[in-house]
Every structure is written in structure tokens, then in C-alpha cells.
Amino acid sequence: MGNLYGLIGHPVGHSMSPIMHNTAFLRLQLEHHYHAFDIAPQRLADGIKALRILNVSGFNVTIPHKVEVMKYLDEVDQEAALIGAVNTVVNMDGRLIGYNTDGRGYVESLKCVLKKPLPENKVLVIGAGGAARAIITSMVLQGVKEIDIINRTIEKAKLIKENCSQFEAKIDLYSLNDLKVDLSRYNIIINTTSIGMYPNVEDVPLPVKSVRPGSIFSDLIYNPLQTRWLQQAEEKGALVHNGVGMFVQQGALAFEMWTGIKPNIEQMTNIVLKQLGG
Ligand code: ATR
């Protein structure tokens, strides 16, 4: 008999994780199953208890439970603790251990467009929410030395900077209204905000005035697959990278933690693209 895996969140109806993981199980001839559990915030404690009783082998965690879930786990690994959020839980003989594969998944997805080793890049992150925090923490842990943050609410960017203070990285902060930021100073510019996401597809997080030749513009949005901002950057000669890779790679890392098997990334990507109609 196969194992049961899942996703907890609220809502979870539109998640692409079940089809991505279940297809990978099928293709590997594993009898496991992945199910999306819709758990309201006030039922989270009971929800985790239920997953323990059902001996669920592992689960992903999505909005709004990524931070709150940590209270109910037996252990949280170092990177997830530093990020302050968990997106993957592994059931190790009844002990629930929390990890965060968002930042590492993002970095993994970026590798196909990177021109030089990650630590040698100067990075600008737009936004300072949960996704930015995961990406910045993983990048700093993987040796990035210069990583600036630009956000509407500067206080949130300060919190991320403080959180990374034990590392060598130099982090400068800018306000989103501060149009002095010169994008041509960076090799990698990452939009982690929802600006430009469907239905507001005409919006851009920052004007694309200048592009360093060969620099990477990366947008975590995957609906649309190519945001207006990425279109503008590509027209000016940038390499562009969308959010599909991060979604696939964070799931692939979880899959590997649960099963010990590296799933086929290309197949997973195709499933997700099909779901997105791309
Ligand atoms: P996620 O988990 O996807 O990162 P989040 O934690 O809600 O989501 O963070 C969203 C980020 O996008 C925040 O940094 C937010 O800016 P604030 O810190 O000022 O709230 C930013 N963001 C979202 N919509 C925005 C908008 N219309 N203009 C500017 N910034 C926006």
C-alpha cells in the first residue's frame, strides 16, 4: 500500500500540487497519493492532529499556514527557522519535521539562466514578504554577498536585513517610491510582489529604464507566464525567468525528501505548464 501525502492551506482548490505530485507518483509506479486538505486557520491545531492520526507521510504547507504551522511541529530545520516559515513537513517515524524548500527551489530554478556562479552576482529583490524572505535567506546561505531590497514598506525590508545580519552579505534597502535605484547595477533583479499578476497585467513593479547587458530579470509570477515587466526587460536585452521553475523545484525538493527519489523536472514542468494553459 502506498503512502499518503498532502497539502494544507486555505483555500487549496486551485493548487497545481496534487496533479504535479500524483502524476510523478504514477510515472514512477509508486502507489502513493497526494491530497489537498482545505484547513481553515482556526482549525489548524486539529488539522495537524488529524494528519498525525492518519499517519500522513509528509505534506506541503501554503497560505495562510506557513508561519503558524511551526507551533505544531516537533522540529523545524535551520533554514526554515531562519526564514520563519515552513512549506514542507516530513513525518519521520511519527515526528513532524518542518523544512522550507521555497528559497532553495527558487535558486535551483534560476540555475538554467545563471551566467556565473550564484555568489558572484549582485542581486536586487523587489518586495519583502514571505517569498522575498525565503529567497534572500537561501541566497545568503548559498554565499551571495550583495543583495539589495526595494519595498513599499521599508520596515519589512529592515526585518529581513536584521534576520540576515549574522551572514557576510551586504544588504542595502530602498523604498519603492525611490526611483533613484539604477537597475543596471544588478545582474539579477527579482520581482517577488504580485504587481503584474492577472488581472492587473498592465502593471509593472519598477520601470525598466536601463538593463545591464546579459542581466537576468526574474518574476515569481506565473499568471501570466510572461508579465509586462518581463516583456519590457526582454525587449531591452535581458534574460528573463518566470515563476514556474520555482513552483516546480520547491515541489521537487519536497518530493525527494519524502520519497528519496529525484523526480523528472521536465515532466513536472510540462504538467504545470499544461495546467496554466501554456
Ligand atoms: P508573498 O508570501 O507572496 O511574498 P506577502 O508576504 O503578502 O506575499 O508579500 C507581498 C509583498 O509584495 C510585500 O512586500 C508587499 O509590500 P508591503 O511590504 O509594502 O506590503 C508587496 N506588494 C504587494 N502588492 C503591492 C503593491 N500593489 N505595491 C507595492 N508593493 C506590493
Side-chain angles (χ1 to χ4, degrees), residues 63 66 126-133 150-154 156-157 176 191-195 203 205 220:
I63 293 165
K66 284 186 178 188
I126 309 169
R133 200 177 166 110
I150 182 161
N151 196 43
R152 177 175 61 183
T153 315
I154 206 78
K156 280 204 214 159
L176 204 51
N191 175 39
T192 70
T193 74
S194 51
I195 303 169
D203 296 348
L220 299 199

Side-chain angles (χ1 to χ4, degrees), residues 7-8 24 46 52 72 77-78 105 110 114 118 122 129 135-136 138 143 149 152 188 198 245 249 258 269:
L7 164 71
I8 60 166
D46 287 341
R52 284 183 192 273
Y72 306 107
D77 102 314
Q78 193 202 0
L110 201 60
L114 276 185
L118 182 70
K122 187 165 165 60
I135 288 170
I136 292 166
S138 290
I149 309 170
R152 177 175 61 183
I188 306 175
Y198 180 83
Q249 294 283 358
W258 295 329
T269 306

Side-chain angles (χ1 to χ4, degrees), residues 96-201:
L96 297 185
I97 306 175
Y99 298 88
N100 195 312
T101 66
D102 284 331
R104 267 182 298 134
Y106 175 76
V107 171
E108 202 51 47
S109 79
L110 201 60
K111 285 186 181 159
C112 62
V113 281
L114 276 185
K115 289 274 189 199
K116 50 184 175 180
L118 182 70
E120 291 170 26
N121 289 280
K122 187 165 165 60
V123 182
L124 176 69
V125 174
I126 309 169
R133 200 177 166 110
I135 288 170
I136 292 166
T137 306
S138 290
M139 284 195 154
V140 165
L141 282 170
Q142 292 187 48
V144 173
K145 302 272 182 308
E146 286 184 79
I147 183 158
D148 295 347
I149 309 170
I150 182 161
N151 196 43
R152 177 175 61 183
T153 315
I154 206 78
E155 290 308 316
K156 280 204 214 159
K158 275 187 193 156
L159 289 176
I160 299 181
K161 179 175 173 155
E162 280 164 21
N163 205 48
C164 292
S165 59
Q166 56 182 299
F167 299 99
E168 251 186 75
K170 178 176 163 296
I171 302 179
D172 288 334
L173 309 178
Y174 299 94
S175 157
L176 204 51
N177 304 320
D178 184 356
L179 294 178
K180 280 182 301 193
V181 178
D182 177 6
L183 298 190
S184 69
R185 284 170 46 213
Y186 302 94
N187 311 95
I188 306 175
I189 301 153
I190 309 163
N191 175 39
T192 70
T193 74
S194 51
I195 303 169
M197 191 188 285
Y198 180 83
N200 302 311
V201 295

Side-chain angles (χ1 to χ4, degrees), residues 76-87:
V76 172
D77 102 314
Q78 193 202 0
E79 184 173 3
L82 204 55
I83 293 169
V86 158
N87 82 324

Side-chain angles (χ1 to χ4, degrees), residues 2-276:
N3 300 335
L4 180 60
Y5 297 92
L7 164 71
I8 60 166
H10 183 72
V12 290
H14 294 293
S15 172
M16 293 183 290
S17 292
I19 193 161
M20 184 171 83
H21 287 284
N22 284 325
T23 310
F25 290 148
L26 264 178
R27 288 192 171 149
L28 288 163
Q29 296 185 324
L30 298 168
E31 286 182 24
H32 306 330
H33 185 73
Y34 184 106
H35 184 80
F37 297 98
D38 190 330
I39 298 179
Q42 66 276 16
R43 304 300 305 273
L44 183 62
D46 287 341
I48 301 294
K49 242 186 235 169
L51 295 174
R52 284 183 192 273
I53 292 166
L54 294 171
N55 199 26
V56 167
S57 302
F59 54 95
N60 287 129
V61 184
T62 190
I63 293 165
H65 303 316
K66 284 186 178 188
V67 176
E68 202 67 10
V69 74
M70 293 196 292
K71 278 192 212 159
Y72 306 107
L73 304 178
D74 301 299
E75 197 181 319
V76 172
D77 102 314
Q78 193 202 0
E79 184 173 3
L82 204 55
I83 293 169
V86 158
N87 82 324
T88 300
V89 176
V90 179
N91 183 342
M92 280 275 204
D93 303 321
R95 283 176 55 74
L96 297 185
I97 306 175
Y99 298 88
N100 195 312
T101 66
D102 284 331
R104 267 182 298 134
Y106 175 76
V107 171
E108 202 51 47
S109 79
L110 201 60
K111 285 186 181 159
C112 62
V113 281
L114 276 185
K115 289 274 189 199
K116 50 184 175 180
L118 182 70
E120 291 170 26
N121 289 280
K122 187 165 165 60
V123 182
L124 176 69
V125 174
I126 309 169
R133 200 177 166 110
I135 288 170
I136 292 166
T137 306
S138 290
M139 284 195 154
V140 165
L141 282 170
Q142 292 187 48
V144 173
K145 302 272 182 308
E146 286 184 79
I147 183 158
D148 295 347
I149 309 170
I150 182 161
N151 196 43
R152 177 175 61 183
T153 315
I154 206 78
E155 290 308 316
K156 280 204 214 159
K158 275 187 193 156
L159 289 176
I160 299 181
K161 179 175 173 155
E162 280 164 21
N163 205 48
C164 292
S165 59
Q166 56 182 299
F167 299 99
E168 251 186 75
K170 178 176 163 296
I171 302 179
D172 288 334
L173 309 178
Y174 299 94
S175 157
L176 204 51
N177 304 320
D178 184 356
L179 294 178
K180 280 182 301 193
V181 178
D182 177 6
L183 298 190
S184 69
R185 284 170 46 213
Y186 302 94
N187 311 95
I188 306 175
I189 301 153
I190 309 163
N191 175 39
T192 70
T193 74
S194 51
I195 303 169
M197 191 188 285
Y198 180 83
N200 302 311
V201 295
E202 297 300 320
D203 296 348
V204 295
L206 273 182
V208 186
K209 284 193 195 132
S210 48
V211 169
R212 176 192 284 214
S215 64
I216 299 165
F217 276 60
S218 171
D219 200 325
L220 299 199
I221 293 170
Y222 47 74
N223 183 17
L225 280 174
Q226 184 149 23
T227 56
R228 187 64 184 263
W229 186 66
L230 287 189
Q231 277 168 22
Q232 291 178 354
E234 194 168 41
E235 279 162 16
K236 289 205 152 68
L239 291 169
V240 296
H241 171 259
N242 66 27
V244 172
M246 176 177 178
F247 177 74
V248 170
Q249 294 283 358
Q250 62 75 33
L253 287 170
F255 189 99
E256 191 179 349
M257 280 180 191
W258 295 329
T259 63
I261 301 169
K262 271 189 200 298
N264 183 316
I265 298 296
E266 200 182 323
Q267 282 177 354
M268 275 187 161
T269 306
N270 287 337
I271 293 160
V272 171
L273 287 176
K274 202 169 158 195
Q275 291 303 303
L276 292 168

